Amino acid sequence: MVFRWFTCIAGLGLAFVGLSLKAQDRPQTLGTHMMIADPASLSDARAEAVYQSIKDTLRRQYMKSGDPVAAAFQTWRRPNREPYRSGVHGQRFINHYANDLAEDYGDFKLGKPFPEGAIIVKDSFAVTESGGVMSGPMFLIEKKENGFNPSSKDWLFMMIKPSGEVVGITNGVGASKVRFCAECHSQAPDGQDQLYFMPDSVRRNN
Ligand code: HEC
């Protein structure tokens, strides 16, 4: 019953796809129907507790895409201490995860381009003014072979909605829908291989 209700809401969410970027990006209610008290004063510790209680649900939602990374990324290293709000990814709470080939990302080492196969993923959720917790998209970047896409320094960008729908992949299905990702990332400071990293205040080794 609950599952049917959730599927219905997910269907409604999909009906908005294509109207505008904002609608397409609309977060969907989590299957847990989670509500939290006093959302305006959500501390870092509480944001982490919310995340710990929903991260399996997020993973299962992204896994509906069939992408193998969706099943694996939460076992990778997470360089941020708690989820934090990202102004550029829709004001959602996000976490960063880096695979072994992207270990320099977790160590915040700059100056050297990342090797082919390096993958960095962000999962995300939103908290509404009334305290509803909503799942958000998964953002992925992967370093591909030399020449894959010179303007993005061979990074592939991908976004997966909580419904499991793949919004777009660089040089693949829906490529035009993730072009804005690469455009913004190409503005990252020199010497950072088009990555932005994260604010010092949320880094685990601080
Ligand atoms: C307007 C600029 C902008 C756009 C558009 C954007 N990003 Fe980002 N991205 C950032 C910034 C800034 C960070 C650093 C962390 C943060 O504040 O979210 C970041 C971080 C990331 C990271 C972690 C690696 C890193 O750079 O540190 C991934 C993965 C990512 N973005 C994927 C995406 C994907 C996929 C899209 C498109 C669906 C996208 N981004 C669109 C600015 C942008």
Side-chain angles (χ1 to χ4, degrees):
M1 184 64 190
V2 169
F3 177 71
R4 281 226 191 87
W5 179 83
F6 172 64
T7 313
C8 171
I9 295 288
L12 278 177
L14 287 178
F16 289 107
V17 171
L19 284 183
S20 70
L21 181 64
K22 210 170 161 210
Q24 173 198 47
D25 224 12
R26 194 178 301 262
Q28 293 165 23
T29 309
L30 279 173
T32 51
H33 305 183
M34 190 173 179
M35 295 289 290
I36 58 164
D38 197 13
S41 58
L42 191 64
S43 65
D44 291 347
R46 271 179 76 215
E48 174 67 8
V50 169
Y51 177 62
Q52 288 304 331
S53 68
I54 63 167
K55 65 187 276 204
D56 279 352
T57 308
L58 286 176
R59 181 175 47 82
R60 276 185 276 110
Q61 290 179 324
Y62 303 143
M63 278 172 67
K64 285 188 268 173
S65 67
D67 191 287
V69 172
F73 76 93
Q74 286 178 350
T75 63
W76 299 347
R77 183 170 173 198
R78 185 182 73 155
N80 59 293
R81 257 196 326 267
E82 297 98 9
Y84 71 99
R85 270 186 219 268
S86 169
V88 293
H89 296 96
Q91 278 298 344
R92 297 188 180 86
F93 285 92
I94 55 166
N95 293 282
H96 299 223
Y97 289 91
N99 71 354
D100 286 348
L101 284 164
E103 66 178 344
D104 281 358
Y105 186 80
D107 293 335
F108 311 109
K109 281 190 198 145
L110 301 178
K112 196 165 68 155
F114 283 79
E116 185 180 334
I119 304 179
I120 302 160
V121 170
K122 305 196 334 180
D123 60 10
S124 70
F125 63 95
V127 176
T128 66
E129 278 177 23
S130 55
V133 179
M134 326 268 276
S135 41
M138 168 178 149
F139 302 89
L140 176 152
I141 56 172
E142 176 176 355
K143 191 68 136 187
K144 303 297 280 183
E145 69 280 1
N146 202 2
F148 170 78
N149 193 37
S151 65
S152 69
K153 290 208 190 292
D154 300 323
W155 286 110
L156 168 150
F157 288 79
M158 180 178 183
M159 182 158 114
I160 300 175
K161 299 212 302 188
S163 61
E165 185 193 341
V166 176
V167 175
I169 310 179
T170 307
N171 286 358
V173 178
S176 63
K177 295 189 185 142
V178 289
R179 205 158 286 143
F180 77 105
C181 314
E183 279 167 11
C184 182
H185 276 258
S186 70
Q187 310 294 316
D190 283 349
Q192 295 192 185
D193 202 13
Q194 296 202 358
L195 301 185
Y196 278 107
F197 294 79
M198 64 192 75
D200 288 357
S201 55
V202 302
R203 291 181 177 182
R204 205 171 261 290
N205 59 353
N206 253 359

